[in-house]
């Protein structure tokens, strides 16, 4: 199981969406963060890289965060200058592969240290449910900062199982977490 092969497909036929993110600090426009993905030599899996510029992009730091086997990055900076980074990670092998969605933040005043892996928002099987159309889950994430808070969205398998959402989840439709069943309406 790989995330990206040379043809651009990923586990369960997911597309390799843009793996580039950029954020400018709303309190200091000289501070810019960029994230991009590459495929290291000798591998076929993507690696995400986060770097910072304090010169409006004229010069860049070394990697502040590097995440192998990952995709779908999103960056935002809140009113405190804290950087939030949302991404998806493929873990395990074969039948035990899982898509994990992580949200990590910087923990220092300079915005250079991430609490990686941070919060695990979801951890769902990579092969179930079986794909019946393409792309499998979608391949995007988004995070924004509003004042001191971060808000975001991501795609994941939506089986209502608390084990898949270790920090809790709210479904917009009726979900029976005991039977692990989703319904179109609440009267079931």
């Amino acid at each position: 199981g790989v995330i990206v092969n040379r043809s651009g497909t990923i586990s369960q036929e997911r597309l390799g969406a843009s793996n580039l993110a950029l954020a400018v600090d709303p309190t200091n426009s000289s501070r810019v963060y960029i994230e991009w993905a590459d495929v290291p030599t000798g591998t076929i899996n993507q690696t995400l890289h986060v770097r910072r510029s304090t010169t409006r992009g004229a010069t860049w730091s070394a990697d502040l965060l590097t995440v192998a086997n990952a995709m779908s990055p999103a960056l935002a900076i809140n009113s405190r200058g804290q950087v939030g980074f949302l991404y998806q990670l493929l873990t395990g092998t074969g039948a035990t592969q899982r898509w994990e969605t992580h949200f990590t933040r910087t923990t220092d005043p300079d915005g250079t240290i991430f609490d990686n892996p941070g919060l695990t928002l979801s951890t769902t099987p990579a092969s179930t449910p079986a794909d019946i159309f393409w792309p499998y889950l979608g391949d995007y994430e988004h995070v924004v900062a509003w004042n001191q808070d971060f808000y975001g969205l991501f795609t994941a398998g939506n089986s209502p199982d608390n084990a898949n959402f270790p920090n809790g989840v709210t479904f917009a439709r009726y979900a029976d977490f005991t039977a692990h069943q989703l319904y179109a309406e609440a009267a079931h």
Side-chain angles (χ1 to χ4, degrees):
V2 296
I3 294 179
V4 175
N5 64 32
R6 299 292 180 203
S7 68
T9 61
I10 348 180
S11 177
Q12 282 282 29
E13 300 267 2
R14 295 179 67 184
L15 291 172
S18 173
N19 285 310
L20 178 67
L22 181 73
V24 178
D25 186 338
T27 66
N28 177 356
S29 63
S30 293
R31 212 171 91 162
V32 179
Y33 289 78
I34 191 168
E35 181 291 326
W36 80 95
D38 64 14
V39 179
T41 303
T43 71
I44 56 174
N45 297 341
Q46 287 186 156
T47 297
L48 303 180
H49 304 269
V50 179
R51 291 189 179 181
R52 175 186 76 156
S53 173
T54 56
T55 59
R56 297 184 174 176
T59 59
W60 294 93
S61 70
D63 284 3
L64 302 177
L65 182 63
T66 306
V67 184
N69 299 329
M71 63 174 285
S72 299
L75 281 170
I77 305 174
N78 70 13
S79 61
R80 291 181 170 172
Q82 185 178 44
V83 180
F85 182 50
L86 184 68
Y87 63 92
Q88 291 183 311
L89 175 68
L90 185 64
T91 64
T93 59
T96 66
Q97 280 190 317
R98 298 185 74 79
W99 279 111
E100 296 181 359
T101 303
H102 292 270
F103 178 72
T104 180
R105 293 171 288 202
T106 54
T107 59
D108 64 315
D110 288 334
T112 59
I113 300 170
F114 286 86
D115 64 347
N116 197 46
L119 291 172
T120 301
L121 302 177
S122 70
T123 174
T124 58
S127 60
T128 58
D131 66 355
I132 55 174
F133 59 88
W134 178 79
Y136 177 61
L137 292 176
D139 46 13
Y140 59 88
E141 296 184 344
H142 188 64
V143 66
V144 296
W146 180 259
N147 295 321
Q148 300 174 31
D149 300 318
F150 292 99
Y151 300 91
L153 61 94
F154 60 92
T155 58
N158 65 355
S159 174
D161 183 341
N162 288 319
N164 290 347
F165 304 96
N167 288 288
V169 67
T170 301
F171 282 88
R173 59 196 251 198
Y174 180 69
D176 182 338
F177 280 84
T178 302
H180 304 290
Q181 189 72 35
L182 284 175
Y183 298 98
E185 38 189 75
H188 287 276

